[in-house]
Amino acid sequence: MTLDISKYPTLALADTPEELRTIPRDHLPQLCEELRTYLLNTVSHSSGHFASGLGTVELTVALHYVYNTPFDHLVWDVGHQAYPHKILTGRREQMPTIRKKGGLHPFPWRKESRMTYYRSGTLRPQSARH
């Protein structure tokens, strides 16, 4: 499955945080709208979890816009929150492969990108026991 990026003209301008920071501030709400729609359209076909990612769209855009990523590191405490981050850090075209063999991991995965600094996932209660 591939999505037609021309349906997301502002998002098409932001494949990396460096590109994101060139977008005028008054276009950021449109970027967030397109990012949310792109997230829904990709992840709904791959059985991924997207609710927490939808909740971090504006936060992700703001963090990448204000901070100098990749120099400044972002860490996500729940992997599914990082889906917008994956889209804005060069993995947009790979999002339809999430949760598929050979595709993107559903959690932040250090080997996927220089923009991922910490592997996170869901902590199982038994792994927290001493």
Side-chain angles (χ1 to χ4, degrees):
M1 181 192 112
T2 58
L3 292 176
D4 182 3
I5 194 62
S6 68
K7 294 180 180 178
Y8 312 91
T10 310
L11 181 60
L13 301 173
D15 194 42
T16 66
E18 293 85 1
E19 293 173 352
L20 167 65
R21 289 189 283 274
T22 66
I23 296 174
R25 280 181 142 170
D26 61 334
H27 288 70
L28 295 181
Q30 178 62 33
L31 173 66
C32 291
E33 175 92 18
E34 291 176 22
L35 178 55
R36 182 173 282 105
T37 303
Y38 187 85
L39 178 63
L40 280 167
N41 288 335
T42 56
V43 179
S44 65
H45 288 84
S46 65
S47 73
H49 302 285
F50 53 81
S52 54
L54 292 173
T56 62
V57 166
E58 287 82 4
L59 175 65
T60 304
V61 168
L63 288 171
H64 281 295
Y65 198 81
V66 172
Y67 289 102
N68 184 21
T69 53
F71 179 76
D72 296 321
H73 298 183
L74 302 180
V75 177
W76 303 96
D77 68 336
V78 175
H80 302 110
Q81 292 174 343
Y83 286 8
H85 168 76
K86 287 178 181 250
I87 293 168
L88 295 173
T89 56
R91 295 170 273 183
R92 180 180 63 222
E93 298 301 320
Q94 296 172 278
M95 283 305 290
T97 71
I98 205 157
R99 301 179 64 95
K100 294 181 181 174
K101 185 175 182 173
L104 290 178
H105 288 267
F107 300 109
W109 197 259
R110 293 182 71 185
K111 293 179 182 177
E112 262 181 20
S113 169
R114 66 185 179 104
M115 296 287 206
T116 301
Y117 307 100
Y118 179 77
R119 184 177 154 222
S120 67
T122 304
L123 178 66
R124 294 181 180 170
Q126 63 270 25
S127 65
R129 294 183 189 151
H130 298 290

